[in-house]
Amino acid sequence: MKARLDKLSLREKRIVLFGGFFILIFLMYELIWSPIANKHESLRHNILRDQALLTWMKEADQHITARAQTQPIKSSTESLLSEVQIQLEKSDFSKLFSQLKQAEDNSVQVSFEKINFDQLMGWLVEMQNQFGWNVTDITVTKTETSGIVQVILTLHT
């Protein structure tokens, strides 16, 4: 290799040395610096994303904690079954529910043959906000009419 380099003229030696130097710089950039810089940028982006997620989770935690503290206390004088029946009769669903039965101590099963899904979801949210009732089990079956479903759900205190 040295013999070949010695045969070259001074100008050609300089060109080979500068070319070799630039190739060496290019390889160092591509194989060392660029991967490190890309990884650094990727980690910086992940940190920003995770910080935003952490902020959202803290806000959600505060919201859930505040909501749990303001949940209304269920009246102990009435059973859940009678409370659900009263609320169904007060709502537009009084003629729509087909069956209402006590499932367990603090659970009631309600069946609807044909009911508007969106209205039912709104009523369930309202009942959860007012009385703290949660849906523990729900079965929704679509009917031939769009938006109308058959529902069997279990409410729990």
Side-chain angles (χ1 to χ4, degrees), residues 98 110-117 120-121 124 137-141 149-153:
S98 60
V110 186
S111 300
F112 298 94
E113 287 300 318
K114 293 181 179 178
I115 189 163
N116 183 291
F117 181 78
L120 177 63
M121 291 301 114
L124 289 173
D137 187 33
I138 187 167
T139 304
V140 179
T141 309
V149 293
Q150 179 181 1
V151 176
I152 301 171
L153 60 90

Side-chain angles (χ1 to χ4, degrees), residues 80-89 97-103 107-112 123 133 153-155:
L80 178 61
L81 182 65
S82 62
E83 288 181 33
V84 171
Q85 186 172 6
I86 290 168
Q87 293 306 316
L88 282 169
E89 288 171 357
F97 73 94
S98 60
Q99 187 177 24
L100 181 65
K101 68 178 181 179
Q102 189 80 34
S107 296
V108 172
Q109 188 177 46
V110 186
S111 300
F112 298 94
W123 181 78
W133 300 343
L153 60 90
T154 304
L155 292 172

Side-chain angles (χ1 to χ4, degrees), residues 27-56:
L27 287 175
M28 286 177 52
Y29 175 79
E30 285 296 318
L31 298 176
I32 298 171
W33 183 260
S34 182
I36 290 172
N38 289 342
K39 184 68 175 176
H40 177 72
E41 186 60 34
S42 172
L43 291 173
R44 183 178 300 269
H45 175 73
N46 289 347
I47 288 171
L48 292 174
R49 186 192 69 223
D50 291 346
Q51 284 176 337
L53 178 62
L54 178 62
T55 302
W56 176 84

Side-chain angles (χ1 to χ4, degrees), residues 13-76:
K13 287 181 186 177
R14 285 185 183 158
I15 291 173
V16 169
L17 286 175
F18 282 124
F21 176 74
F22 286 117
I23 288 174
L24 179 67
I25 297 294
F26 175 75
L27 287 175
M28 286 177 52
Y29 175 79
E30 285 296 318
L31 298 176
I32 298 171
W33 183 260
S34 182
I36 290 172
N38 289 342
K39 184 68 175 176
H40 177 72
E41 186 60 34
S42 172
L43 291 173
R44 183 178 300 269
H45 175 73
N46 289 347
I47 288 171
L48 292 174
R49 186 192 69 223
D50 291 346
Q51 284 176 337
L53 178 62
L54 178 62
T55 302
W56 176 84
M57 290 174 81
K58 285 180 179 179
E59 290 172 4
D61 179 54
Q62 290 172 350
H63 178 73
I64 291 169
T65 303
R67 189 164 191 167
Q69 292 172 351
T70 60
Q71 284 293 334
I73 298 172
K74 185 186 122 174
S75 166
S76 60

Side-chain angles (χ1 to χ4, degrees), residues 4-17:
R4 282 188 165 182
L5 190 60
D6 288 339
K7 290 181 184 178
L8 298 176
S9 69
L10 183 61
R11 181 176 175 197
E12 291 171 338
K13 287 181 186 177
R14 285 185 183 158
I15 291 173
V16 169
L17 286 175

